[in-house]
Each structure stands twice: as structure tokens, then as C-alpha cells.
Amino acid sequence: MNSRNTNQKKIILETLIEAKTHPTIDELYKLISEKKVSIGRATLYRNLKKFIEENKIKVIKTKKGLIRYDYNSNHIHYECLNCGEIFDIYDDEFINLLNSRKWNENKKIIDYNFTIYGYCDDCNKKLND
Amino acid sequence: MNSRNTNQKKIILETLIEAKTHPTIDELYKLISEKKVSIGRATLYRNLKKFIEENKIKVIKTKKGLIRYDYNSNHIHYECLNCGEIFDIYDDEFINLLNSRKWNENKKIIDYNFTIYGYCDDCNKKLND
DNA sequence: CTATGTGCAAAGTGTTTGCAAATTT
DNA sequence: AAATTTGCAAACACTTTGCACATAG
């Protein structure tokens, strides 16, 4: 039942952290292939699943149905309803507010997933031509 | 490009609204089958997709990877990390706070998806035996 | 040395699509 | 009557699994 530190795990997590974007599994696979090593797709699936269980990474299901992966740090997502791009929003004030709030006696926050939908600056301009 | 009001659309949306749970597509299919009518799976997929585009319903991707559908009203989800059940939280004060907040000059909130992870009351008790 | 992890290919699931018939407007 | 939607089955895409070999502890 012990988890072992393999080279593959290291590379997968490293690559996901380095990526500024929120890659799909396919994009992540390509990013890894660009490095020297090649990792099997099954290994990628298996390890992403483990990382999710271990709360190291998060899954984002986009409006268009794509499944994207994200290294788990405290932030909010803003998804553009036009171009589909996902932006990270860091808002400590809001996060603090979130963490201090109790939704009922026992329901404490262990983790959360917060995505806001709207239009990004670029698309806003285009749509208001 | 006009959208037509078919009986199938009516039944699908109706059944989803009636369901107090957040059904998977399979659960929804069964709920519909329990009524007189039978709707093809393809029709179900096609219409759920349309409803999402039209912002009538929302998708929830659970920690365990299940895809659940939810009628789109203003509320927050609380997912139990132990039993997996999803609870609705209605917190107007928080929703108002959310809606009034601007994340930067142009990034307005059109819609959002907010899920909190933790343990539900029942599981809390069990786990602290 | 033993248990865990990997890679491949095959199996399994879930979702989409082409097409003819039905339905809506 | 024209355009959209439906239902079926087949096609497609994504994810998991069995197994033999490799690797970590």
C-alpha cells in the first residue's frame, strides 16, 4: 500500500506545474513528449488519478466539455464563454472570506472548486466592436 | 437556426428539475423511462448539450469523476469526500457578495460554478466514531 | 527480494454522428 | 412545405485493465 517515487510521477507533476495553462491530458502528454522521456498514456492516466486522490491536482471540466488539469493552489478560475480560455484569479481577500465562512454547524471547507464564467478582455472588445 | 419546442426537450428538462438529486445521464435516462415516454440516448445527449449552451442547466464533475447534471439556479454545492453525495447550499448573503464583486475592470460574473468539498454530517459522525 | 509501478495492446465505456423517418413551425 | 429533431446503429474517442517486465525500497 506504499506509494513509490518513480521518475514518471516526478516528470508528470513537474510538467503540470511548469505549464502556465491548464492542459488537457493530451496536451500534457505532448508537453511531456517534448522532453527527453516518453511516458505511456496508461501511466499518465493512472498517476493523474492518484494525484487527484492525494489532492495534489484538480480537475476542471470546461463549459465545452473538455477536461483540464490544474496544479492545486488556492485560486479561482475565470473561464471565457467566448474563446474558452481559463484565467487564474488570485484574490486573497476573497479566499480568506471563503475559508472563514461556515455553511452550517459541521460543513467545513476542506477544499473547493470555483469557476466564474464571463468574457475575457479580448473577447469583450471583439464582441462590442 | 431556430430552436423547436419538442416533447422530448420538455420531458428531459422537467425530469431534471423534479429530481431532487443531481442525476448522472444514466440516472436521468432511467427516471425518464419510468414515465410513459421513452427517449433515445442520443436525444438525451444532444439536448443536455443544448441546455448547457443555453445556460439552463449545469454540469458537475465529481471528485470521483462522475458527470452529474443540475438545473441551474443560484446555489452552491457541497460534496462529501467520503460518501460522494452532493448537497445544495442556499446562502443568499454569500451569493450577493459574489455577484457584487468585480475581479478586475472587465471580468464580470455571468455565471459561476462553486463546489465545496468536505464531509457531510453523517460521515462526520461515522468517521469520528 | 518483494511489492509497486510501467508500457503495451486489448477491452470496456461513454459520447457523437449519419441517415431515414417523424415532427414542428 | 421546409427546416429541425428524433431514434437507431454504427463509428468514434476516451479511459481502464491484464499481463509481463522493470524498478523502488
Side-chain angles (χ1 to χ4, degrees):
Chain A
M1 263 254 117
N2 252 328
S3 181
R4 289 177 181 181
N5 290 323
T6 67
N7 209 240
Q8 285 87 337
K9 284 183 193 168
K10 203 172 127 255
I11 291 165
I12 294 170
L13 199 56
E14 240 174 54
T15 310
L16 183 56
I17 295 173
E18 285 164 21
K20 295 281 151 88
T21 55
H22 309 81
T24 60
I25 204 159
D26 235 68
E27 289 166 355
L28 188 55
Y29 184 80
K30 274 167 204 147
L31 285 170
I32 290 167
S33 304
E34 282 167 17
K35 304 186 172 186
K36 289 129 203 169
V37 241
S38 142
I39 291 177
R41 275 207 151 72
T43 304
L44 191 50
Y45 276 103
R46 278 189 280 233
N47 281 322
L48 287 178
K49 195 172 236 185
K50 271 181 205 151
F51 292 155
I52 292 164
E53 284 163 9
E54 297 166 3
N55 249 302
K56 285 182 183 157
I57 68 169
K58 257 181 201 164
V59 174
I60 315 169
K61 170 118 182 155
T62 70
K63 274 261 154 159
K64 280 164 190 166
L66 291 177
I67 291 169
R68 300 190 164 280
Y69 295 90
D70 189 26
Y71 182 63
N72 196 6
S73 69
N74 266 336
H75 63 263
I76 298 167
H77 289 129
Y78 190 94
E79 182 178 336
C80 178
L81 290 169
N82 188 240
C83 67
E85 197 166 333
I86 295 173
F87 302 87
D88 289 335
I89 297 179
Y90 294 91
D91 181 340
D92 289 341
E93 196 186 313
F94 185 76
I95 302 282
N96 287 339
L97 202 143
L98 211 63
N99 286 323
S100 64
R101 199 164 183 88
K102 278 178 103 184
W103 267 270
N104 83 24
E105 320 99 68
N106 296 313
K107 285 192 175 59
K108 288 178 202 112
I109 296 183
I110 286 178
D111 191 16
Y112 59 87
N113 216 322
F114 189 20
T115 303
I116 297 166
Y117 303 101
Y119 296 97
C120 72
D121 295 359
D122 280 4
C123 289
N124 245 326
K125 276 176 204 146
K126 276 180 209 152
L127 298 171
N128 296 328
D129 43 30
Chain B
M1 263 255 118
N2 253 330
S3 181
R4 287 176 184 188
N5 288 326
T6 66
N7 208 239
Q8 285 87 335
K9 282 184 192 168
K10 202 174 128 253
I11 291 165
I12 293 170
L13 199 56
E14 238 174 53
T15 309
L16 184 57
I17 294 174
E18 284 163 20
K20 293 283 149 86
T21 56
H22 309 80
T24 60
I25 203 158
D26 235 67
E27 289 166 354
L28 189 55
Y29 185 80
K30 274 166 205 146
L31 285 171
I32 290 167
S33 303
E34 282 167 20
K35 303 186 172 185
K36 290 129 201 169
V37 240
S38 142
I39 291 177
R41 276 206 151 72
T43 304
L44 191 51
Y45 276 103
R46 278 188 281 230
N47 281 323
L48 286 178
K49 195 172 236 183
K50 269 181 207 153
F51 292 155
I52 292 164
E53 285 163 8
E54 296 166 2
N55 249 303
K56 286 182 184 157
I57 68 169
K58 256 181 201 164
V59 175
I60 316 169
K61 170 118 181 155
T62 70
K63 275 258 153 158
K64 281 163 190 166
L66 290 176
I67 291 169
R68 300 189 163 280
Y69 295 89
D70 189 25
Y71 182 62
N72 197 5
S73 68
N74 264 338
H75 64 263
I76 298 166
H77 288 129
Y78 189 92
E79 182 178 338
C80 177
L81 290 168
N82 188 240
C83 67
E85 197 167 332
I86 295 173
F87 302 87
D88 289 336
I89 297 180
Y90 295 91
D91 182 340
D92 290 342
E93 197 188 312
F94 185 75
I95 302 283
N96 286 338
L97 204 142
L98 210 64
N99 286 323
S100 65
R101 200 166 182 87
K102 274 180 107 183
W103 266 270
N104 84 25
E105 322 99 67
N106 296 314
K107 284 193 177 56
K108 289 180 203 111
I109 296 183
I110 287 179
D111 191 15
Y112 59 88
N113 217 322
F114 188 21
T115 303
I116 298 166
Y117 303 101
Y119 296 97
C120 72
D121 294 358
D122 280 4
C123 288
N124 246 327
K125 277 175 203 147
K126 277 180 208 150
L127 297 171
N128 297 329
D129 45 31

